[in-house]
Amino acid sequence: MFRKIINVLWEYRLYLVLFGLMICFVFITDFNGLYGQDSYEYLRFTGALIDFAKHGINPGITYWPVMYPVCGALFSTVFKTTFALQFVSIISLVLSGVYMEMILKTIYQSETKIARWFVFVFFLFSPYLLRVSFTIMSDGLCLFFVTASTYYFAKYYNEKRNTVFVTFIIFATAALCTRYAAFVAILIPAIFVKYYFAKRFNFKVYIIAGMGAVLVLLPYILIHKNAPFDFLHHEWLQGWSITNIFSSSFDTADGHANYTFSNIIYCFFNLMHPAFCFAGAIFSGICIWSIVKNGASKIQWISIASLMLYALFLAGIPFQNLRFLILSFPFVMIIFFPAFIKVYVFMGKIKPIIITPLLLVCLLIQSGLFARVFIPFYHDNKIEKQISNEVIKYNPATIYTFSIDAAVRCYGFKGNIVNMWEVKLDNMPPIHENGMVLFNEKQFSEVWKNKNPMLNWEYLKTKYQLIKVEDLLDNWELYSIKNK
């Protein structure tokens, strides 16, 4: 057994090297993975789960699925909570790469060298995937579960073994428990798996698979036992509309947004956007030509159908975010791999000696694009920390703010925080205590026009005397509140 483990570790040593380099990157850059409201909420709820495990304190419910905080809480027995969540994201990408390699070798019977080059250059060093692996967000973990589910789908398609069926059900359920949208991404493979299983139905295996799924669902069931179907009221699901597919401008509870491209174009960005794969346009062209000329295998068509279904789902949402496209990226890789093989073989026939240098250049380009998408996150992370420290120095009894409130609380502010999106200040008691306002009028004025944040800001300026205390970074301003 020990020798077998050593052999497996040696076989995947390059993945271990990448994992080590990623851990070193975290410590060298001092990037803690926190940015925006969502990541701070994941950290907060993970802490609540830890308090529940240690002291029995009810963690309450959370807006998002619970698998990522649960995994963070488990690793918090070894690491500090913040790094535990980051660790989950990092190891998720590395394991996703391992499964992606196994998928390609299973579907295409490719030799390890070619599959591994493709996985490292265009999957593991995909700029958006690499960036999300350093953040405290559930995308990386869900990517791992979707990729693993896809592998066990391909394996079950070929072998029809009961143990593979059970494993698929467990990983597919875990994906759903990490991000609800994963249901759409893996729906078509799940239909095929259940169809093949039904043809050779085994009641004992069915029960085992059901028990495995329930075990994975258990944290969600315990936390949401009083409202198990709350996820159906998610604003994206409620706001989904066929009319959004051809729109590029949206007005929602999250503010007003104008995008360059309509949703029907955005939802296919992971095929050719450089944030995912700089060579995507080339691979797409070769794939289309090859499918028109030679057709495609059944698994390739299933991958294309899964990509299309998930794209349609995203196109109906009144919002755009490139990281939402991460969940369908494994299907993009499956579709692109034959094109990569064609290019690899073609270059081998012309001049084999340039293949490795060319792939290293591609890796360098992907790394440069990663730096391009990572630096803004790194900047925002440092800004949030610095602004929070400035607010803590003044130690107001109450701080009125928006967007950055979770960061201020995370970095140690002990006073009362009023989120200007959640309340209407004209319906609240007058401000008599030591209060301050932390606001970014330049950033919020257009996006949040006629919404709570700007309405409350105008109310404060009209009702009270706001005395600027300090100009902070990135147009943030800190005011003390005085009665007129």
Side-chain angles (χ1 to χ4, degrees), residues 235 250-257 318-319 421 447-448 451:
E235 61 183 299
F250 307 101
D251 192 28
T252 68
D254 289 326
H256 183 76
F319 188 69
W421 178 80
V447 176
W448 296 97
K451 303 286 185 181

Side-chain angles (χ1 to χ4, degrees), residues 13 43 50 52 60 124 211 281 436 470:
R13 59 192 179 279
L43 178 62
I50 294 170
F52 171 72
L124 291 173
M211 291 173 61
M436 301 186 81
E470 192 171 347

Side-chain angles (χ1 to χ4, degrees), residues 66 177 180 217-225 227-231:
V66 300
C177 289
Y180 299 131
L217 285 165
L218 190 59
Y220 178 89
I221 294 170
L222 293 175
I223 292 168
H224 293 272
K225 58 185 176 182
F229 299 107
D230 265 2
F231 68 92

Side-chain angles (χ1 to χ4, degrees), residues 105-396:
K105 290 191 290 188
T106 298
I107 295 175
Y108 299 105
Q109 285 77 52
S110 168
E111 61 179 271
T112 298
K113 180 182 178 181
I114 296 178
R116 189 161 295 177
W117 265 119
F118 181 72
V119 168
F120 266 80
V121 175
F122 297 108
F123 186 78
L124 291 173
F125 275 80
S126 171
Y128 255 64
L129 269 62
L130 190 55
R131 184 181 75 173
V132 82
S133 70
F134 292 112
T135 62
I136 294 179
M137 292 291 285
S138 62
D139 303 272
L141 181 63
C142 194
L143 172 70
F144 162 62
F145 288 133
V146 169
T147 308
S149 299
T150 305
Y151 167 70
Y152 290 112
F153 153 70
K155 195 171 180 65
Y156 188 72
Y157 178 86
N158 289 334
E159 301 177 6
K160 308 296 189 298
R161 286 197 293 118
N162 290 330
T163 54
V164 179
F165 171 79
V166 173
T167 310
F168 171 84
I169 295 298
I170 291 172
F171 275 99
T173 306
L176 178 61
C177 289
T178 308
R179 287 189 68 85
Y180 299 131
F183 173 81
V184 182
I186 60 177
L187 176 60
I188 294 176
I191 289 172
F192 275 90
V193 167
K194 291 187 177 181
Y195 168 75
Y196 291 127
F197 179 76
K199 290 178 68 174
R200 46 200 307 279
F201 183 79
N202 184 308
F203 184 74
K204 180 180 177 181
V205 174
Y206 181 77
I207 293 297
I208 293 172
M211 291 173 61
V214 170
L215 186 63
V216 174
L217 285 165
L218 190 59
Y220 178 89
I221 294 170
L222 293 175
I223 292 168
H224 293 272
K225 58 185 176 182
N226 295 324
F229 299 107
D230 265 2
F231 68 92
L232 295 176
H233 301 293
H234 195 288
E235 61 183 299
W236 289 357
L237 203 58
Q238 297 290 318
W240 197 96
S241 172
I242 197 77
T243 59
N244 293 331
I245 292 176
F246 301 100
S247 299
S248 60
S249 179
F250 307 101
D251 192 28
T252 68
D254 289 326
H256 183 76
N258 287 305
Y259 302 102
T260 305
F261 298 96
S262 63
N263 273 10
I264 191 60
I265 298 174
Y266 141 78
C267 67
F268 291 106
F269 271 3
N270 56 4
L271 285 168
M272 56 187 64
H273 197 290
F276 287 93
C277 175
F278 80 94
I282 298 172
F283 290 151
S284 295
I286 296 173
C287 286
I288 293 171
W289 173 80
S290 178
I291 290 173
V292 169
K293 184 179 179 181
N294 304 314
S297 68
K298 193 170 184 178
I299 289 187
Q300 286 176 315
W301 280 121
I302 290 170
S303 299
I304 292 170
S306 298
L307 178 67
M308 297 285 288
L309 180 64
Y310 186 71
L312 178 64
F313 170 71
L314 291 185
I317 295 173
F319 188 69
Q320 292 185 15
N321 191 323
L322 287 178
R323 71 178 179 85
F324 297 160
L325 296 164
I326 287 173
L327 296 192
S328 62
F329 198 61
F331 300 114
V332 174
M333 292 288 96
I334 293 171
I335 297 166
F336 277 177
F337 188 56
F340 175 76
I341 292 176
K342 288 181 184 299
V343 174
Y344 190 96
V345 172
F346 176 76
M347 295 304 299
K349 289 179 179 178
I350 294 177
K351 204 166 187 179
I353 197 171
I354 71 168
I355 292 179
T356 299
L358 186 60
L359 287 170
L360 290 175
V361 169
C362 291
L363 192 67
L364 188 62
I365 293 172
Q366 293 278 79
S367 300
L369 291 170
F370 160 70
R372 171 65 183 82
V373 298
F374 175 75
I375 288 172
F377 270 40
Y378 183 77
H379 171 80
D380 290 347
N381 174 265
K382 298 305 176 188
I383 292 297
E384 288 174 346
K385 187 181 295 186
Q386 291 176 35
I387 290 175
S388 299
N389 290 334
E390 288 299 312
V391 172
I392 291 169
K393 283 197 314 186
Y394 289 97
N395 194 31

